[in-house]
Amino acid sequence: MTSETPPKPLATPLYYASQFGLIHTVRWLIYRFPMVIGKFAGYYGTPLIAASAKGHSDIATELILRGERPRLECSDGRTALYSASENGHLEIVKVLLAQYPPLDIFFMRQYSPLGQALCKGHLEIAGLLLQHGARVDLQNSLGETVLHQASKGGYDPASIKMLLMYNANTRSKDASGKTPLEIARESGHEEIARLLWEHDA
């Protein structure tokens, strides 16, 4: 430390208790200080987003029951659903989907909950998102759809099949004018390229 007094915390006690899974502390704080529910602070943004990122489904449920809104998003587009989808927390995703959270908000203007679930190989979560209406052809700031990202990143071929089953547009072009098939070929992902070629043949 460079001073005799500690620096001011970056977030509320409720935020930290939610992030570290302290359910009894969370309940006590909500009872004593209900006004801090949903307050933006800290790396993840809100107590619910922090709990969702870390997989604390009991805390996420408690926060929702006590009034924190799953529709809240940080200035960078991070939401509770994005964090739970990215980190593979299926039970939290189920809890959030029952509250009609935003499905298609981009984190950093590029990554959707669906895209991150597929990127990390969380196919069951991706399937749930698609069943609840996640849009497969939504384009990010680079003009990419999830299929573009999957083709470039060499995702599990099962991801490609899932997107095609939900009628992903294989002819969509990104900002550079390239289709998912062209990107897959350029990136050397031959199996993905084959799946896309066979789909359009």
Side-chain angles (χ1 to χ4, degrees), residues 2 12 14 44 52 87 101 115 119 125-126 145 190 199:
T2 57
T12 64
L14 179 60
Y44 291 105
S52 299
N87 292 290
C119 176
I125 289 176
T145 64
E190 296 180 2
H199 181 270

Side-chain angles (χ1 to χ4, degrees), residues 10-12 15 36-47 49 68-69 71-76 78-79:
L10 298 177
T12 64
Y15 173 92
V36 302
I37 294 177
K39 184 176 181 180
F40 284 97
Y43 175 78
Y44 291 105
T46 69
I49 297 175
E68 186 164 344
R69 293 170 293 159
R71 296 195 67 82
L72 289 176
E73 62 175 288
C74 299
S75 58
D76 59 9
R78 186 190 297 275
T79 62

Side-chain angles (χ1 to χ4, degrees), residues 159-181:
S159 300
I160 306 298
K161 294 176 182 178
M162 181 180 291
L163 292 172
L164 293 176
M165 185 174 68
Y166 278 85
N167 299 315
N169 184 2
T170 59
R171 301 184 186 280
S172 176
K173 296 183 178 181
D174 63 13
S176 63
K178 295 177 181 177
T179 65
L181 175 57

